């Protein structure tokens, strides 16, 4: 397959890039700083891209089978909420302009429902530092749910999926839709490597067209 990975130098994006290349896919990595990608592979092309330049981005996306967006406006960005929404909406529009139908978005876990009518981001325990990004991802999911031209999928990781988690690729995970996946110890966890497995699995064999889903052990 031909895959475009937006944000391929980030925490999630780099894991997705590695997983896709290991499976033999042709990948175009679209990043702000191409020098951050040191991967050498005959199936990889790295290009500089600005997600807010919709027309230019559409040109880069053209001809791919699936667009995977691991875009993040930066956790320390003081305008994270607005910039994430602006960039994400531009990616969606660029995908339409490119003629590619399939858009797979890596979002946050904050919009998962922890109880009836209660999303994780609205609980008192939710870290304040993560809130702008989580709210932006939640609001973008609401926009995507009205999208009827693209075959979109929004993937929320487990509640605990961050750089401090151990790196492991088991390729074993369970899926859910709008509620977190908990293990026998009532923990919702997944490594970034297994999250990448789930992302590329969904790209190869779509099971959640126009749906949000989540993964965990």
């Amino acid at each position: 397959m031909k895959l475009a990975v937006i944000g391929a130098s980030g925490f999630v994006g780099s894991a997705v890039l590695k997983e896709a290349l290991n499976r033999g896919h042709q990948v175009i990595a679209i990043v702000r700083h191409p020098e951050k990608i040191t991967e050498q592979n005959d199936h990889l092309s790295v290009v500089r891209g600005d997600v807010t330049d919709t027309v230019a981005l559409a040109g880069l996306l053209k001809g791919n089978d699936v667009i995977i967006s691991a875009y993040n406006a930066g956790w320390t960005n003081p305008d994270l909420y607005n910039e994430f929404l602006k960039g994400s909406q531009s990616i969606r529009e660029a995908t339409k302009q490119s003629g590619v139908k399939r858009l797979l978005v890596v979002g946050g876990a904050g919009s998962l429902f922890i109880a009836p009518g209660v999303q994780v981001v609205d609980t008192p325990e939710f870290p304040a530092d993560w809130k702008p990004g989580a709210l932006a991802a939640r609001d973008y999911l609401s926009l995507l749910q009205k999208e009827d031209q693209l075959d979109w999928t929004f993937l929320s990781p487990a509640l605990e999926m961050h750089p401090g988690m151990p790196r492991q690729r088991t390729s074993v995970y369970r899926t859910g839709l709008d509620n977190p996946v908990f293990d026998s110890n009532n923990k919702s966890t997944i490594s970034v490597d297994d999250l990448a497995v789930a992302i590329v699995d969904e790209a190869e064999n779509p099971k959640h067209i126009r749906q949000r889903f989540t993964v965990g052990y």
Side-chain angles (χ1 to χ4, degrees), residues 112-127:
L112 293 168
F113 286 87
I114 200 72
V118 180
Q119 290 175 298
V120 174
V121 69
D122 292 326
T123 60
E125 302 82 14
F126 195 84

Side-chain angles (χ1 to χ4, degrees), residues 3-211:
L3 307 178
V5 180
I6 299 171
S9 64
F11 174 53
V12 173
S14 59
V16 172
L17 177 64
K18 180 179 179 181
E19 181 68 25
L21 290 172
N22 284 346
R23 297 195 196 188
H25 295 301
Q26 192 78 35
V27 182
I28 176 172
I30 301 172
V31 291
R32 283 170 284 200
H33 302 286
E35 67 277 4
K36 289 185 177 181
I37 295 185
T38 57
E39 189 102 20
Q40 298 291 320
N41 192 297
D42 290 341
H43 290 167
L44 171 65
S45 57
V46 182
V47 297
R48 187 187 306 275
D50 177 359
V51 297
T52 63
D53 188 339
T54 307
V55 174
L57 182 60
L60 296 176
L61 300 180
K62 200 167 291 186
N64 286 282
D65 298 305
V66 182
I67 311 304
I68 300 174
S69 175
Y71 167 67
N72 188 322
W75 286 108
T76 59
N77 186 336
D79 198 26
L80 171 56
Y81 177 87
N82 291 316
E83 288 196 17
F84 178 86
L85 278 180
K86 180 181 178 182
S88 296
Q89 291 186 76
S90 178
I91 291 168
R92 181 177 61 154
E93 181 57 34
T95 302
K96 290 182 185 180
Q97 291 182 16
S98 74
V100 181
K101 292 286 290 181
R102 187 85 172 100
L103 173 63
L104 207 166
V105 177
V106 184
S111 58
L112 293 168
F113 286 87
I114 200 72
V118 180
Q119 290 175 298
V120 174
V121 69
D122 292 326
T123 60
E125 302 82 14
F126 195 84
D129 289 348
W130 297 357
K131 203 152 191 171
L135 291 173
R138 176 177 72 178
D139 291 350
Y140 182 54
L141 172 59
S142 296
L143 293 171
L144 267 183
Q145 288 169 334
K146 299 169 187 173
E147 172 60 56
D148 59 4
Q149 294 181 43
L150 298 174
D151 291 336
W152 60 267
T153 298
F154 185 101
L155 174 55
S156 290
L159 297 181
E160 293 185 52
M161 197 290 298
H162 51 77
M165 295 284 294
R167 298 293 298 255
Q168 62 172 353
R169 184 189 184 281
T170 68
S171 74
V172 176
Y173 59 88
R174 294 179 298 131
T175 63
L177 294 178
D178 291 319
N179 303 100
V181 174
F182 291 100
D183 63 18
S184 58
N185 296 314
N186 203 35
K187 301 282 282 182
S188 174
T189 65
I190 198 163
S191 71
V192 70
D193 304 280
D194 280 332
L195 180 67
V197 170
I199 291 167
V200 182
D201 282 351
E202 178 68 22
E204 292 177 343
N205 298 295
K207 294 181 179 178
H208 301 91
I209 298 292
R210 296 182 185 173
Q211 278 188 313

